[in-house]
Amino acid sequence: MVFLTYKLPPRRVRLAVLAAGAVLLAALLLFSVFRRPSTETLSAGEHNILLCLDCLDGFGWEAEPEPVSVEESILSTQLSESYLALQREAGFDLSDDMGKTVTRCTFTIANYPTGETGILADLLVRDGEVVGGDIRSTALNGFLHSLVRPSEG
């Protein structure tokens, strides 16, 4: 057996150790950057809330950004014709969604034309799409109407 040895000057040893450390550090940094989950990824609930806020904005409503409630339920198969007409007025057709699970997101409306408070917007979301909604008053003699803004005056 033959052994070959070579003595490195101390300066070269330090440079080699520093270079190996720098390569290892760079590899660790790259690995951690590519393994980190994206902070821009939204949960399904957050996505639904943004969809609803965009929908309300499209109808001219200003809503509080935090929903009052978010609930999953099965849309009744026996919705009244007047409620279906209310939905059609806003451009929604719930006939394909009856009997299916929807998420109802409820928001407080801040800009009702009469200045009235206690106004809520309920939006129905299914498969990442707003499929219906309405505006309602929480007052004792309240009302319910489509997402279309009533004329002011």
Side-chain angles (χ1 to χ4, degrees):
M1 193 180 320
V2 177
F3 290 101
L4 293 175
T5 60
Y6 179 74
K7 184 175 181 181
L8 291 174
R11 182 172 181 228
R12 284 192 177 164
V13 171
R14 284 189 296 237
L15 285 175
V17 168
L18 283 174
V23 168
L24 182 62
L25 182 63
L28 286 173
L29 285 172
L30 283 174
F31 180 75
S32 69
V33 166
F34 288 113
R35 291 276 299 161
R36 182 177 300 144
S38 173
T39 58
E40 296 178 10
T41 303
L42 297 175
S43 71
E46 293 167 326
H47 181 69
N48 286 347
I49 290 169
L50 290 178
L51 278 174
C52 292
L53 291 172
D54 285 346
C55 179
L56 288 170
D57 187 54
F59 281 99
W61 297 111
E62 292 174 13
E64 297 295 325
E66 287 296 315
V68 173
S69 68
V70 176
E71 301 170 338
E72 287 204 8
S73 61
I74 296 175
L75 197 58
S76 174
T77 57
Q78 299 174 346
L79 294 173
S80 70
E81 184 53 43
S82 62
Y83 188 75
L84 292 173
L86 180 138
Q87 296 302 317
R88 284 191 294 271
E89 180 184 342
F92 298 113
D93 181 9
L94 289 179
S95 59
D96 290 340
D97 300 300
M98 294 187 337
K100 302 211 171 121
T101 301
V102 295
T103 302
R104 184 181 74 194
C105 300
T106 303
F107 295 88
T108 301
I109 296 296
N111 67 332
Y112 200 76
T114 63
E116 194 172 338
T117 58
I119 307 298
L120 299 177
D122 290 315
L123 287 106
L124 305 174
V125 179
R126 190 170 81 79
D127 296 333
E129 182 180 339
V130 176
V131 295
D134 57 61
I135 302 293
R136 63 184 165 98
S137 170
T138 59
L140 186 58
N141 59 347
F143 57 80
L144 175 74
H145 65 75
S146 75
L147 290 175
V148 176
R149 282 179 61 92
S151 58
E152 297 182 37

